[in-house]
Amino acid sequence: MAQAMTAAQVTKKIIGRESLFILDVRNEDAFQDWKIEGENFKYLNIPYFELLDGVEEILDQLPTDQDVLVVCAKEGSSIFVADMLEEAGRDVSYLSGGMKAWSEHLEPISLGTLNETGTDQGEVVQFVRIGKGCLSYMVISEGEAVLIDATRMTDVYLDYAASRNVTIKHVFDTHLHADHISGGRDIAEKTGATYWLPPKDATDVTFDYAPLEDGSTVQVGDTAIEVRALYSPGHTIGSTSFIVDQRYLLTGDILFIDSIGRPDLAGLAEDWVGDLRDSLYNTYRDLSPELIVLPAHFMIIEELNTDGSVAEKLSILLANNHGLNIDDEATFRKMVTENLPPQPNAYQDIRETNMGKQTPDLETQREMEVGPNRCAVR
């Protein structure tokens, strides 16, 4: 029988720039919309139903000198095809849990120490949800932690905090998310942490929260590691960035490494594009160019650094990110509003879930999140 390859193992191949051949047996439209991406990955898309009578016709299309991974939506179809290939003498693996498991995997990556002149070496950890392009963060110092933009896979953060022997004291969402379901409120309830949300994004929520206002600060541990809120609307009316330890700029969905945020997920692109420009061209340009930008998403696999993290100096982005280098405001508005990608799947239902208006079960939540990240304008 074919062996399983986990999402974590595939992630290691992506980070290590290893080669992998993927036989994706989903329908063509699903494959074209969203697939596992790696710099040295190659693909063959043959729908499962075309292989029910056997795999002989595709054997000569599969390499014999590199790993072959069979992928489907949930796992079952890929096991069936992988076992047929094994019976035909080919050594292949299948993706354990399918694309649903791929969507949910989080890879924790340490970004380095904080407060290097103090007694405590604090740390920022980036959780890379590589299948969805989502990025979340844990700031750790002296047994305490702050969590920012957590996904719904709450056990990953809770288990990681336990492994580091730290207590989560504060949970932030930079904005009301429309592309994925937030785990922030759930984690706050489980840990007793304070849950913070920008009030301009929270006018319709059904739960209590701490208002995340411009200039709000929290301290992590007994040392002076400070997380400071910076109001930066444009993706949403309440979008808020964070400056951590005067070293990192967490930009939420306003600024990415290779792109900028989209302003239309509440149907207000024409209204919010001006806020987006002001945040990018005024608020951020007034900050130290030495700050390291940590976004809430990445769009393309090339944005990953050699260690798998997604981070770059603000000065580099100011020079190289196309969205930060359009001098004419009218041209900027035209570029943003005329290059909007398709809406995220079920984004209205996701927004209402994050407002507390819907409480879908786990399987429904998974279905709501299927598909690629679509939060950027490139």
Side-chain angles (χ1 to χ4, degrees), residues 174 212 214 216 227-233 238-243 249-255 279 283-284 287:
T174 56
L212 178 59
D214 186 50
S216 299
V227 179
R228 178 170 68 88
L230 180 69
Y231 182 51
S232 48
S239 289
T240 300
S241 305
F242 293 98
I243 297 175
L249 173 62
L250 278 68
T251 55
D253 283 4
I254 290 291
L255 175 63
S279 293
T283 302
Y284 283 172
L287 302 174

Side-chain angles (χ1 to χ4, degrees), residues 327-375:
D327 293 334
D328 181 68
E329 182 172 353
T331 302
F332 178 86
R333 283 178 170 271
K334 182 179 176 66
M335 184 277 292
V336 171
T337 58
E338 293 185 2
N339 287 280
L340 294 169
Q343 301 279 15
N345 293 341
Y347 78 100
Q348 291 286 19
D349 288 329
I350 290 174
R351 291 181 77 247
E352 292 204 352
T353 299
N354 288 333
M355 293 176 189
K357 293 183 176 182
Q358 294 187 28
T359 55
D361 59 29
L362 177 59
E363 192 58 32
T364 302
Q365 291 181 44
R366 286 172 167 165
E367 292 294 338
M368 288 162 63
E369 289 188 342
V370 165
N373 168 30
R374 293 191 175 115
C375 283

Side-chain angles (χ1 to χ4, degrees), residues 228 230 243 246 249 277-291 314 318:
R228 178 170 68 88
L230 180 69
I243 297 175
Q246 298 301 314
L249 173 62
R277 182 173 175 84
D278 186 58
S279 293
L280 294 174
Y281 283 71
N282 294 317
T283 302
Y284 283 172
R285 287 180 182 273
D286 286 340
L287 302 174
S288 167
E290 295 302 304
L291 287 171
L314 180 58
L318 291 173

Side-chain angles (χ1 to χ4, degrees), residues 166-182:
V166 299
T167 300
I168 299 173
K169 291 290 189 178
H170 299 274
V171 183
F172 294 95
D173 271 320
T174 56
H175 61 288
L176 186 77
H177 297 282
D179 69 303
H180 69 276
I181 296 167
S182 169

Side-chain angles (χ1 to χ4, degrees), residues 98-163:
M99 291 297 288
K100 286 194 174 180
W102 179 243
S103 171
E104 295 179 339
H105 176 68
L106 298 176
E107 186 76 15
I109 298 173
S110 175
L111 300 177
T113 58
L114 296 168
N115 194 34
E116 293 181 346
T117 60
T119 58
D120 173 54
Q121 299 285 308
E123 183 181 358
V124 175
V125 178
Q126 184 181 69
F127 291 81
V128 181
R129 187 180 180 185
I130 199 162
K132 283 286 291 182
C134 295
L135 303 167
S136 47
Y137 300 89
M138 186 179 289
V139 182
I140 297 172
S141 178
E142 293 189 328
E144 295 184 359
V146 170
L147 193 57
I148 300 169
D149 284 336
T151 69
R152 62 177 171 77
M153 281 70 75
T154 57
D155 286 348
V156 175
Y157 306 103
L158 297 173
D159 291 347
Y160 188 84
S163 73

Side-chain angles (χ1 to χ4, degrees), residues 2 6 29 35 37 51 87 90 93 118 140 147 157 174 181 188 195 199 206 250 280 290 311 315-316:
T6 65
D29 58 346
K35 62 179 180 291
E37 297 185 64
L51 301 172
E87 292 173 2
R90 294 301 183 90
S93 303
I140 297 172
L147 193 57
Y157 306 103
T174 56
I181 296 167
Y195 176 58
T206 63
L250 278 68
L280 294 174
E290 295 302 304
S315 60
I316 300 298

